[in-house]
Amino acid sequence: MKKATFLLAVACLAMSYTPSAAQDRKSITIASEGASPPWNSIDGTGNLAGFDVDVGRELCRRMNIECRFVPQDWDGIIPALTVGKFDAIMSGMAITEKRKKSISFSKPYAGGFNQLVVRKDLDLPPVQTSQKLDLTTIDAAKQLTLDQLKAALSGKTLGVLRSSNSEVVLTELFGSVATIRSYDSQDNMHLDLNAGRIDGGLADYFTWKTFLDSKDGEIATFYGPELSGGPWGPGVGVGLRQNDQRLIAAFDEAIKTATDDGTLKKLSLQWFGIDVSPSSAD
């Protein structure tokens, strides 16, 4: 009887065991795509750099945890987290209900918005709209703007990052009138846009701006309003395994203090030129 009770206790202990519950973390590994500047990119020395990386290092400093950044393709970044290849994702990842079915998120450490880009030689008609369009709810005025965009983009080929929320939005809004081509990286989409293999695309505004400010990006321009809300959720957060509750709480506290003392604002101004910290996004 005592043996059975002991074995049962061992089994229960094993079932409840998680690394974060068993001991305090001394170091963690954080994954980032490395292909969406200024959020994240690979620098001249082959290392990850960008807003995500600087914020991650700052949060780790506040948590008194050593952190190591590793590159990971976007397509497999969530599956790799869930199987334990690394401990967290910081890659400009929007907090969405769909993703929350597989992983958990910290509170937002940044906001942001997305926008369409098209080739200048298409000479598309202007869209009569306000500068910003939140897709959380669609009223008559927003629907008119979407109808104008739909008419202008009819028959066009549009690129988007595979497995992104922009892919969901682009398919839902324009999939019935345009050909949607999904890419494994933003860089490959830029190459096809520059070569004329696609007419435009949808992506994060800041990632587009970096491209448009380059020589290769001179052939394209922003089109239509800034898009946010809806499938993009409340902002960008740290992706974490659902059973890492202690690590989630640590990130939340670090993000709060970095927001309160203005550090996230300072880093966002450094990388984006505008304030995308949680206080401004709310």
Side-chain angles (χ1 to χ4, degrees), residues 122-251:
L122 295 179
D123 197 23
L124 296 181
V127 176
Q128 302 300 320
T129 181
S130 62
Q131 184 179 359
K132 299 180 180 181
L133 198 158
D134 188 328
L135 297 176
T136 303
T137 58
I138 306 297
D139 57 20
K142 292 179 182 179
Q143 188 59 56
L144 178 61
T145 298
L146 294 176
D147 289 343
Q148 290 177 7
L149 287 170
K150 196 171 182 178
L153 297 172
S154 180
K156 304 299 186 291
T157 299
L158 304 173
V160 71
L161 186 64
R162 185 181 298 122
S163 301
S164 67
N165 292 302
S166 292
E167 184 181 47
V168 174
V169 172
L170 196 65
T171 301
E172 288 183 357
L173 296 183
F174 310 113
S176 62
V177 298
T179 299
I180 308 301
R181 186 171 297 171
S182 299
Y183 289 85
D184 60 352
S185 74
Q186 193 75 22
D187 286 342
N188 286 335
M189 182 163 66
H190 294 166
L191 288 172
D192 273 8
L193 180 61
N194 185 262
R197 288 186 283 269
I198 58 175
D199 300 304
L202 178 65
D204 171 75
Y205 168 86
F206 299 106
T207 301
W208 272 136
K209 191 174 186 307
T210 300
F211 169 68
L212 295 180
D213 288 344
S214 70
K215 185 172 180 58
D216 287 342
E218 293 177 353
I219 50 86
T221 185
F222 285 116
Y223 187 66
E226 299 168 0
L227 303 173
S228 63
W232 284 296
V236 170
V238 183
L240 298 145
R241 283 185 291 274
Q242 292 176 338
N243 63 352
D244 273 345
Q245 293 302 312
R246 188 174 296 179
L247 190 56
I248 295 169
F251 267 109

Side-chain angles (χ1 to χ4, degrees), residues 27-28 30 54-69 90 251 254:
S27 64
I28 60 172
I30 302 174
D54 279 2
V55 171
R57 287 172 176 155
E58 175 63 24
L59 298 180
C60 286
R61 183 188 69 79
R62 291 169 185 258
M63 295 187 294
N64 197 27
I65 295 176
E66 292 184 8
C67 64
R68 180 174 70 98
F69 274 85
M90 293 191 70
F251 267 109

Side-chain angles (χ1 to χ4, degrees), residues 31 70-89 103 241:
V70 295
Q72 170 66 49
D73 290 343
W74 184 263
D75 280 359
I77 202 165
I78 288 180
L81 171 68
T82 59
V83 299
K85 186 175 179 180
F86 37 78
D87 303 297
I89 298 170
I103 63 174
R241 283 185 291 274

